[in-house]
Amino acid sequence: MAHRTLLARRRENGTYDVFRLRDRSDRSDPDGPVATALSFDAVFDHVAFETHESVVIEAGTWTTYLVVPFSIPTADYRRPIDGACIALRPEAGLSEAYVRGWVHAMKEVLGDAIDRGLLTEREAIVYLEDRVQAFAETTEVIVP
């Protein structure tokens, strides 16, 4: 089974240990750490945009960040190397279902625009990046 979630547990000294989880809902017994004593920002340097789905930060409370690869599904699809992590804030209307649905719809429309010759892939990715950054008005957006 794939490790699709990263769990970052805050230590007493304020640094984080990072673990891979098979099941995001089971945070009790992760495999051994893949990195230790990281700053908050450095946790996100361990995100593999082609495979990870979420990052969970455990620092007294849990905050889940949805991983959004900057890639567009087209006939010439390429694996993503960049992306962003958007903090889910259900109280602000940013549930996992909403953000996933928004990302899916945005990528489908942009993919169609590329396939029809209306945009280049680079133009579409820049547009996607800008739209993802707009979530920063409501929640935290991390772009490693």
Side-chain angles (χ1 to χ4, degrees), residues 129-140:
E129 290 176 19
D130 288 344
R131 297 293 296 155
V132 166
Q133 288 286 3
F135 277 100
E137 295 174 11
T138 309
T139 191
E140 187 175 13

Side-chain angles (χ1 to χ4, degrees), residues 66-68 86-89 93-105 132 135 139:
L66 191 66
V67 174
V68 179
I86 300 174
L88 300 178
R89 301 271 188 252
L94 295 175
S95 67
E96 183 172 355
Y98 174 81
V99 176
R100 282 194 190 284
W102 182 91
V103 169
H104 179 74
V132 166
F135 277 100
T139 191

